[in-house]
Amino acid sequence: PNAPKLFNLDVLLRAGLNANNIGNDNSKLNANLDEARILMGGEYNDRLSYKVRLRLNRSFAPTSQDNGSAALDFAFLKYKFGKDNKWAVTLGKQSAVVGSYEFENNPIYEYKFTEYVDRILNLFVVGGMLSYEVNPNHSLNLQIYNTSNHSFDGLLADNGYAVGDLGASKVPLGAYFTWIGAFDDKKFNTKWSYNISQFANDNLNHAVSLANKYKTDRQMIYLDLQYSFYAVDHVMIGSSVINDFYARTGVNKTLEKDVVYKSAILRYDQFLADKWEIALKGGIETAGSNNDEELGNDFRTNYTYFAALQHKPFRTQDLRFYLGYMGNTVTHKNFIEVDKQQFNRVSLGAYYTIPVL
């Protein structure tokens, strides 16, 4: 067997020349550093390992709940134990073990994230995870974590919401129960999760996320499906629309109850030739209310999409040059008087996972 390597260092970069909002009055051309992350990790032996990833274009200020920062994606220790090392415990700031291949994908590959990954999920959480490898193709995982990286009072105050009749949870924690599976010589993969969490006292949130992926040497396709019920909408996407609809401001602007988010996200990557590849992605996401009969289900819909042509000059290097179109469109039910929100971008650039050490 290979000897463990104590230290590895990768740099993840994506940068491009962007033409934003083409055809609109606010269109502009700019060069942008979309992603800049440093990934460090290693193995002390066959049982103990660690990983740390920093995002260089995010704030290093500590967050109010977990004393981490937005710049720190994760910093954790993983210890395997038991017969054949089938059990593992992971402690520290870590990736949420949620059913989402969009999130699990290398972030430099995703030209445009959906709102589910970018705004709804708490992606990088402080907590602990217990994992059990049933066999080489299937594992079961239980992760306990902070529901939000920000405190109850801090999150409301920072976003201009009044507390209203809500109270901070005495146990502001969440739990993921996740099955990760592989079939057909690991070509077909699943990552299915159920989540229960609490942000405000006596109000439980529930979510089911079903991620499915098929991958070969020349193609990859994933389909992520999710349903999330927020007893108190600390995500604030639905709450923002509802408060605007009823013209609530100041002390009347509160987090809504019983808000539902649903999404379906499909991505397809295919090599057309040895060095040329296409990447296509589309997502549809809705926000609705189980509590407001006037607004009802799916009063807000977000469409996310991109198409890119990619050139991979070296077989053994994760370097690609790309030309892509990406964007999103937000629409509301016709009785909500909000202009359709639309963003689009044409981008020419490159991304590279640089294996420094």
Side-chain angles (χ1 to χ4, degrees):
N2 294 327
K5 188 172 182 182
L6 193 57
F7 184 71
N8 296 279
L9 175 62
D10 292 332
V11 177
L12 286 61
L13 292 173
R14 188 179 76 235
L17 186 65
N18 303 321
N20 295 319
N21 294 317
I22 299 168
N24 296 343
D25 292 339
N26 62 343
S27 62
K28 67 175 182 178
L29 184 69
N30 74 304
N32 202 54
L33 182 64
D34 295 316
E35 291 284 351
R37 309 194 195 203
I38 294 175
L39 173 63
M40 298 168 282
E43 299 176 348
Y44 181 72
N45 53 35
D46 64 343
R47 291 178 179 264
L48 183 62
S49 61
Y50 71 95
K51 276 189 178 179
V52 178
R53 193 171 78 189
L54 295 166
R55 205 178 321 188
L56 301 181
N57 48 1
R58 287 291 178 95
S59 169
F60 280 79
T63 44
S64 54
Q65 179 79 345
D66 60 20
N67 202 38
S69 74
L72 180 65
D73 282 349
F74 46 74
F76 63 81
L77 293 171
K78 183 175 182 179
Y79 178 71
K80 297 179 180 180
F81 63 96
K83 185 180 178 181
D84 300 323
N85 289 346
K86 287 184 175 293
W87 290 89
V89 61
T90 306
L91 295 172
K93 190 169 185 182
Q94 56 201 272
S95 297
V97 62
V98 62
S100 168
Y101 282 120
E102 178 188 19
F103 170 47
E104 188 173 292
N105 211 5
N106 187 326
I108 63 175
Y109 298 172
E110 297 288 346
Y111 299 108
K112 182 73 175 172
F113 282 107
T114 62
E115 287 185 332
Y116 182 54
V117 169
D118 201 36
R119 296 181 62 186
I120 295 176
L121 285 174
N122 186 7
L123 297 174
F124 301 107
V125 298
V126 173
M129 180 166 68
L130 180 66
S131 305
Y132 176 67
E133 185 183 283
V134 180
N135 59 46
N137 291 323
H138 299 277
S139 70
L140 301 173
N141 305 268
L142 168 63
Q143 185 179 56
I144 308 295
Y145 68 96
N146 287 330
T147 298
S148 171
N149 294 342
H150 302 277
S151 67
F152 177 86
D153 292 331
L155 187 66
L156 268 63
D158 289 347
N159 290 277
Y161 282 82
V163 174
D165 62 354
L166 298 175
S169 172
K170 296 177 182 177
V171 188
L173 297 175
Y176 279 104
F177 303 88
T178 307
W179 162 57
I180 300 172
F183 304 87
D184 191 18
D185 198 26
K186 299 193 175 182
K187 291 179 183 175
F188 180 68
N189 297 270
T190 56
K191 193 175 184 183
W192 292 7
S193 66
Y194 165 72
N195 176 237
I196 184 170
S197 64
Q198 189 173 81
F199 176 72
N201 202 32
D202 298 326
N203 287 274
L204 289 177
N205 309 317
H206 303 271
V208 175
S209 302
L210 308 177
N212 312 273
K213 180 171 69 174
Y214 180 77
K215 192 176 190 307
T216 67
D217 290 340
R218 298 188 63 82
Q219 64 187 181
M220 186 278 294
I221 184 168
Y222 68 62
L223 174 64
D224 292 346
L225 304 169
Q226 73 85 18
Y227 174 94
S228 302
F229 169 82
Y230 282 86
V232 172
D233 178 35
H234 68 274
V235 173
M236 303 179 183
I237 297 174
S239 291
S240 177
V241 177
I242 295 171
N243 280 288
D244 287 348
F245 181 73
Y246 291 108
R248 296 174 186 154
T249 58
V251 296
N252 295 315
K253 185 182 177 183
T254 57
L255 297 183
E256 287 299 312
K257 295 187 176 182
D258 301 346
V259 171
V260 172
Y261 297 101
K262 295 176 284 187
S263 67
I265 302 139
L266 181 67
R267 174 165 176 161
Y268 176 59
D269 291 15
Q270 176 72 55
F271 272 100
L272 305 174
D274 284 346
K275 296 182 179 182
W276 291 94
E277 184 183 20
I278 57 167
L280 307 170
K281 177 174 165 183
I284 179 171
E285 303 172 274
T286 62
S289 174
N290 288 351
N291 193 40
D292 191 307
E293 294 183 359
E294 186 171 359
L295 288 170
N297 294 324
D298 305 343
F299 56 74
R300 180 187 187 274
T301 304
N302 177 59
Y303 303 92
T304 302
Y305 36 86
F306 70 63
L309 178 65
Q310 304 179 154
H311 178 60
K312 188 174 189 287
F314 308 115
R315 182 183 295 272
T316 59
Q317 295 288 312
D318 191 20
L319 167 67
R320 286 176 175 84
F321 298 92
Y322 64 85
L323 174 64
Y325 171 81
M326 56 216 70
N328 77 287
T329 303
V330 178
T331 63
H332 299 81
K333 281 189 174 178
N334 55 17
F335 55 81
I336 299 177
E337 295 181 6
V338 179
D339 292 336
K340 183 172 74 172
Q341 301 161 7
Q342 190 158 16
F343 169 82
N344 64 74
R345 166 182 288 176
V346 174
S347 185
L348 175 66
Y351 63 79
Y352 191 15
T353 302
I354 307 168
V356 179
L357 286 172

